[in-house]
Amino acid sequence: MKKVLVIGSGGREHAIVDALSRSPQVGKIYCAPGNAGIAAQAECVPLKDTDVEGLKAFALENGIDLAVVGPEVALAAGVVDAFKAAGLRIFGPSKAAATIEASKDFAKQLMAKYDIPTASFETFEDYDAALEYVKKGSFPVVLKYDGLAAGKGVVIPETFEEAEETLRDMLLDDKFGKGKVVVEEFLTGPEFSFMCFVDGLDVYPMTLSQDHKRAYEGDKGPNTGGMGAYSPVPIITDEDLEFSLEKVMKPTAAAMVAEGCPFTGVLYGGLMKTPQGPKVIEFNCRFGDPETEVVLPRLASDIYDIFSAVADHTPMPEIEWKKEVTMGFVMASKGYPGSYDKGYEIVMPEEIAACMSPRNDVSGHPEEHSDVRIYHMGTSCKDGKYYTAGGRVLMVVGFGADLQEAHDKALAAVESIECENLFYRRDIGWRVL
Ligand code: AMP
Ligand code: GLY
């Protein structure tokens, strides 16, 4: 039986651990650092996701057969390069390939050079030059800080005054850190998340999902890491999907090879279905969060085989998806994505708390089928009680024959969870229901 180490501590990692727990080949799962929910399915190891040396030493000492990396910060810290240099098997892109997410400017230059459809743009280091450019353009305008900012580095000012203030924050006051700003054309249309397993030139699509980035109902409020998601996405046609695979994801994988930084791992295309067809809003170098929590539960194939094929550059097995669909609601701490307090008790009915126990079946409909699955994003546990411990706290996923059923199951579960400091959006899936 294989020993696997999952690196990370959110809902995404919980869903990865959950998927691995359904593999008949996988015996022991470790998660570093993990969280209180993950602890029900894996042994949590108190190592930070960016502690590259510590993680490597742990993997060597414990005979880890395969490591899987969740967060971009670990990838940008070079964890994959370090593991490979030590002869360890790991799923994820190199530090060089992770630049596709770590630098918005790198991603935009790559798309421009290889003719991959995206919003027109210009990159600035100089405040005055950026301001001058923005003044000549139209509003709203999209301003993106060129570096990792946990989903908070994008501001879309409606007015010149607002743009001036944002550029000041980003270029003069270094509020996000020292860096450049990408000024982008504002596009319109529904967004969707297209995650693919990529091994150099080979691209294997996952089923589509849709995130809800804004904090409040009606897609209002500040951008967050994501407040809910569902899969599949019926408003995206087979033609859109074909275009997105052939004109976006495959050429991008080929471009990374041509640039000398071949991508291995999950390439996440954040796409928008514009009136002119799908265009790239952003690339991520990893599984999306909360998209992973609705996509991986629908995977009917053994995920250990998929991770292995990418890590070893061997042929990919057929990837199959269940008919069962999913929709998930994020429960977040009041104040998120701004500042928030932690440590509030979360009270769940027994049958809801039991939704976290292992769901061990790889093939088709699970035998011990439960209509709800709860992935922990930021919780702690003390004396058998759960407490809030992060901005996003729980991702409650419902399963159903259709999205309405999945929605109703998830929402009923959400409503049964009591915690005085949590909020959620009730309108997840509004575009399709
Ligand atoms: P990003 O971090 O690049 O995905 O941007 C965060 C969010 O800002 C996206 O999910 C979009 O909703 C919005 N956004 C980013 N770029 C654009 C654009 N060019 N046009 C319109 N909205 C955008
Ligand atoms: N949910 C968007 C992301 O993972 O970046």
Side-chain angles (χ1 to χ4, degrees), residues 356-415:
M356 293 175 302
S357 55
R359 190 179 195 246
N360 289 311
D361 191 336
V362 258
S363 56
H365 218 76
E367 230 176 310
E368 278 180 85
H369 179 67
S370 146
D371 291 329
V372 174
R373 203 88 187 113
I374 297 184
Y375 295 111
H376 288 226
M377 306 182 98
T379 61
S380 61
C381 186
K382 200 168 173 240
D383 303 328
K385 288 181 177 170
Y386 289 105
Y387 297 89
T388 64
R392 292 187 296 175
V393 174
L394 296 172
M395 169 75 167
V396 180
V397 178
F399 297 78
D402 56 35
L403 288 170
Q404 186 67 55
E405 189 187 350
H407 169 277
D408 296 349
K409 296 263 165 66
L411 191 56
V414 163
E415 284 170 342

Side-chain angles (χ1 to χ4, degrees), residues 73-277:
V73 284
L75 296 163
V79 67
V80 170
D81 310 68
F83 270 56
K84 284 194 173 155
L88 291 162
R89 291 169 77 229
I90 187 161
F91 175 86
S94 65
K95 181 174 178 167
T99 311
I100 198 163
E101 171 169 1
S103 167
K104 301 261 185 206
D105 183 44
F106 173 89
K108 294 297 284 189
Q109 303 290 353
L110 188 85
M111 287 186 268
K113 181 168 172 187
Y114 293 90
D115 220 9
I116 294 155
T118 190
S120 62
F121 75 103
E122 197 83 46
T123 306
F124 296 93
E125 270 173 90
D126 180 63
Y127 169 78
D128 293 316
L131 200 64
E132 200 52 40
Y133 179 81
V134 165
K135 199 184 250 171
K136 289 201 203 106
S138 57
F139 289 88
V141 66
V142 182
L143 304 178
K144 297 187 175 179
Y145 170 70
D146 178 48
L148 293 179
K152 293 165 201 161
V154 176
V155 182
I156 307 185
E158 303 272 348
T159 64
F160 179 71
E161 288 66 38
E162 230 183 299
E164 197 172 14
E165 192 185 323
T166 304
L167 287 172
R168 178 172 289 278
D169 287 349
M170 289 181 175
L171 287 171
L172 289 182
D173 300 342
D174 298 338
K175 284 210 179 145
F176 298 81
K178 191 105 201 102
K180 301 180 256 191
V181 167
V182 175
V183 181
E184 231 179 68
E185 163 201 16
F186 179 77
L187 301 175
T188 53
E191 291 176 60
F192 59 103
S193 304
F194 191 18
M195 300 191 282
C196 296
F197 295 107
V198 174
D199 175 19
L201 293 172
D202 299 326
V203 177
Y204 307 94
M206 287 183 231
T207 183
L208 294 179
S209 54
Q210 186 176 62
D211 188 9
H212 296 62
K213 290 251 168 77
R214 301 294 203 97
Y216 314 129
E217 282 165 20
D219 285 338
K220 299 259 180 352
N223 264 320
T224 68
M227 293 298 294
Y230 59 89
S231 173
V233 188
I235 53 174
I236 303 305
T237 63
D238 288 347
E239 203 185 351
D240 296 329
L241 182 62
E242 173 86 4
F243 181 91
S244 304
L245 183 60
E246 298 300 331
K247 302 288 184 210
V248 177
M249 303 308 284
K250 286 186 180 175
T252 302
M256 294 296 278
V257 172
E259 292 296 309
C261 48
F263 195 95
T264 52
V266 173
L267 182 62
Y268 165 124
L271 308 184
M272 186 181 273
K273 181 179 162 134
T274 76
Q276 293 80 40

Side-chain angles (χ1 to χ4, degrees), residues 7-9 32-33 45-56 69-80 82-83 148:
I7 298 170
S9 63
V45 183
L47 288 170
K48 272 176 78 171
D49 54 8
T50 49
D51 179 4
V52 173
E53 286 309 309
L55 292 165
K56 187 176 81 181
V69 190
E72 61 275 18
V73 284
L75 296 163
V79 67
V80 170
F83 270 56
L148 293 179

